[in-house]
Amino acid sequence: MNHIKIEISGHDTNLFHTEECTELDFILGISSMFDRLLPETKKMLVKKLEKLIDLQENAIIHQKRKL
């Protein structure tokens, strides 16, 4: 069974997972957090996520470390 645990603090967001998790499992796990958002917030978030489509793997993580 695949498990994903998400911890969010004021500084970091951590994802813990079992080795069997796939990229799709991550997307579905993160997407489940959107259930409680207002429709307007979901629209705003989707616009932000669209900017990430063309980024290479780990691009956000490496960018964050440079700051």
Side-chain angles (χ1 to χ4, degrees):
M1 179 180 279
N2 298 339
H3 292 281
I4 298 174
K5 179 180 177 185
I6 302 171
E7 291 181 356
I8 301 171
S9 71
H11 300 284
D12 296 311
T13 299
N14 296 307
L15 295 171
F16 302 97
H17 58 88
T18 57
E19 290 184 25
E20 300 85 21
C21 287
T22 65
E23 290 179 359
L24 181 59
D25 293 325
F26 278 104
I27 297 300
L28 293 174
I30 293 168
S31 298
S32 68
M33 295 189 312
F34 297 123
D35 269 352
R36 295 185 179 185
L37 298 178
L38 295 171
E40 296 80 20
T41 306
K42 290 179 187 180
K43 289 176 187 173
M44 180 181 66
L45 188 56
V46 167
K47 287 180 183 177
K48 297 272 186 187
L49 292 174
E50 285 175 348
K51 295 178 183 178
L52 304 178
I53 290 172
D54 294 328
L55 291 181
Q56 294 181 6
E57 182 179 349
N58 293 321
I60 297 172
I61 294 170
H62 294 306
Q63 220 174 31
K64 187 176 179 182
R65 288 182 184 157
K66 290 178 184 177
L67 296 176

